[in-house]
Amino acid sequence: MSATHVDSQAEDAAANHPGDRVYFTMLGMLAGLTVIEVIIFYLTDSLVLRVGLLAALLLVKFVAQIGWFTHLRYDDRRITLVFGGCLFIALSVMFATVAMMAVDGFFLLNEYQ
Amino acid sequence: MATTALEVQRAGGGTTHGDSGHGGSSHPPTSTGIDSKKLLMWWFLGSECVLFGSLIATFMIYRNRAQDLSVNLQGIEGSGLAVSSGPFPNQVLDQLYTAVSAGVLLFSSFTMVLAVASVGRGNIKAFRVWTLATAMLGAIFLAGQYFEYTEFFHEGLSIQQNIFGASFFTLTGVHGMHVFVGVIWLTMLSIVSFRGGISKKDHTNVEVAGLYWHFIDIVWIVLFTLVYLLPYRDGAESAEEHTEGAMRLVQSLPFF
């Protein structure tokens, strides 16, 4: 690989990343959302409302971080496919395990009563 | 004979589709057109998703079970089962303190992204500053976690105390170990750059380190909500009520 080719790669990669202004905006947004999360924790009594809002904020923060800070939205779509596929497997295993144990564990505990 | 895209890449030339994964005009000579180091890191992060997914699932199953076990195992003489006891999550977790820790890690993601941008522009001085700042913020996070753990120990919560302690320390401890590895990695990068070993052409190497760092921040975003902010049941009494309520709900289902 020639030095010119390597330099051009680095320039391409850097050129396709967003500017510092976008990073500042993302930082402000993520910090703001974290503060809102803490406020929700202390001020919301309703369980459904609290869980719903926190889940929504978690999703927004996750997408913002993965999309902009890791540059996934500027990368090749196959990378999104790789990571998205693994994430899908992880979430499937997670939800299946929690669902299974929620039922099995529940009856196991009640055997002692 | 027509020249294939792969042959052009092998010859060191660029093609018009994709670059190192950024949609530019040239890319490294790989059959996928994506830099191998970067692709490998994404596969690794994918496998990390499964690791943390399993740990999070375990934590979610056990997060309120310390109270359940406290109710269900008490008074069973000769059962050979240890009676679970507190402290329970609501008695030890400090959300405000952890919010500050989360802010520190969030800010470190910002400094990391600036470090990657700096090396892309060939500004090595700025790269050193931002990389060192990121490593330092990571170290501050670890110090905060150490302080939190010692507080919990003083309040009686250890990895052996109850099932909440076991799952809490395992999950946050594995995350802390990842942060520690990241701090070492960034410190090494800084040392190499001070010795003149980092230049604009190392953009991908720095970006790969950045991907790892952002991932551990993403994991903490998830843990902060699931471990610290989602509500826990208060104690043994409410756990008993919850168990009875849940039992009635399950028995009301048509297939039971």
Side-chain angles (χ1 to χ4, degrees):
Chain A
M1 200 185 329
S2 70
T4 317
H5 180 66
V6 169
D7 283 350
S8 113
Q9 270 175 245
E11 275 164 20
D12 278 349
N16 284 295
H17 287 181
D20 291 356
R21 200 170 168 178
V22 174
Y23 298 140
F24 271 106
T25 310
M26 295 311 294
L27 175 70
M29 192 193 86
L30 289 167
L33 290 178
T34 306
V35 172
I36 293 171
E37 281 180 334
V38 178
I39 292 171
I40 288 170
F41 174 82
Y42 283 108
L43 296 185
T44 315
D45 283 334
S46 163
L47 180 73
V48 177
L49 191 65
R50 192 198 286 189
V51 172
L53 286 173
L54 287 175
L57 289 175
L58 170 62
L59 193 68
V60 172
K61 284 172 77 178
F62 184 89
V63 170
Q65 180 88 7
I66 204 89
W68 276 267
F69 277 1
T70 66
H71 305 130
L72 195 61
R73 72 186 294 269
Y74 303 98
D75 271 335
D76 193 297
R77 289 204 174 166
R78 285 169 295 176
I79 294 179
T80 309
L81 204 65
V82 165
F83 186 71
C86 292
L87 189 65
F88 176 75
I89 292 169
L91 288 174
S92 305
V93 170
M94 210 174 114
F95 284 119
T97 312
V98 170
M100 187 175 70
M101 291 300 291
V103 176
D104 286 355
F106 173 78
F107 284 111
L108 183 71
L109 288 171
N110 279 282
E111 283 173 11
Y112 294 108
Q113 287 187 325
Chain B
M1 191 174 71
T3 310
T4 64
L6 189 58
E7 283 165 349
V8 171
Q9 290 166 30
R10 281 177 182 154
T15 62
T16 52
H17 61 88
D19 60 346
S20 56
H22 287 283
S25 59
S26 64
H27 55 69
T30 63
S31 58
T32 57
I34 303 170
D35 189 285
S36 300
K37 284 180 195 168
K38 194 168 167 179
L39 189 58
L40 185 65
M41 178 48 84
W42 277 110
W43 275 113
F44 171 70
L45 296 181
S47 73
E48 289 280 276
C49 281
V50 181
L51 168 72
F52 278 104
S54 309
L55 291 172
I56 290 169
T58 309
F59 179 81
M60 294 305 282
I61 290 163
Y62 291 138
R63 70 196 302 273
N64 278 316
R65 288 283 161 86
Q67 294 95 314
D68 282 337
L69 289 170
S70 178
V71 171
N72 289 300
L73 301 184
Q74 272 169 7
I76 306 173
E77 288 178 18
S79 67
L81 296 167
V83 175
S84 174
S85 58
F88 298 122
N90 280 346
Q91 297 165 323
V92 290
L93 296 180
D94 184 348
Q95 281 74 17
L96 270 183
Y97 177 81
T98 318
V100 175
S101 287
V104 168
L105 211 53
L106 198 67
F107 194 68
S108 77
S109 242
F110 172 69
T111 54
M112 186 69 235
V113 89
L114 291 183
V116 175
S118 300
V119 81
R121 293 182 199 122
N123 187 350
I124 304 303
K125 244 181 194 176
F127 163 76
R128 283 175 197 149
V129 170
W130 293 124
T131 309
L132 276 176
T134 310
M136 205 171 289
L137 288 166
I140 291 170
F141 175 84
L142 285 176
Q145 197 170 36
Y146 174 77
F147 179 75
E148 184 189 39
Y149 280 10
T150 48
E151 282 294 300
F152 287 179
F153 284 133
H154 289 144
E155 290 179 39
L157 183 69
S158 68
I159 198 164
Q160 297 163 314
Q161 179 65 18
N162 58 28
I163 205 156
F164 166 73
S167 49
F168 172 83
F169 283 112
T170 305
L171 179 58
T172 56
V174 168
H175 177 265
M177 270 166 48
H178 278 77
V179 177
F180 180 72
V181 170
V183 169
I184 298 289
W185 190 348
L186 293 175
T187 308
M188 295 300 288
L189 269 180
S190 300
I191 292 169
V192 171
S193 82
F194 276 110
R195 295 174 70 177
I198 299 280
S199 65
K200 195 174 179 178
K201 70 178 171 58
D202 297 305
H203 181 265
T204 307
N205 292 340
V206 177
E207 194 180 6
V208 165
L211 287 177
Y212 176 83
W213 191 260
H214 294 310
F215 180 78
I216 53 180
D217 186 27
I218 290 166
V219 171
W220 190 252
I221 285 174
V222 176
L223 295 192
F224 179 56
T225 300
L226 297 184
V227 177
Y228 293 89
L229 298 180
L230 283 187
Y232 289 91
R233 291 206 302 276
D234 280 332
E237 296 77 19
S238 62
E240 194 166 31
E241 285 167 16
H242 172 86
T243 307
E244 284 170 5
M247 190 66 175
R248 277 198 300 277
L249 180 72
V250 170
Q251 283 172 343
S252 70
L253 294 172
F255 48 86
F256 278 101

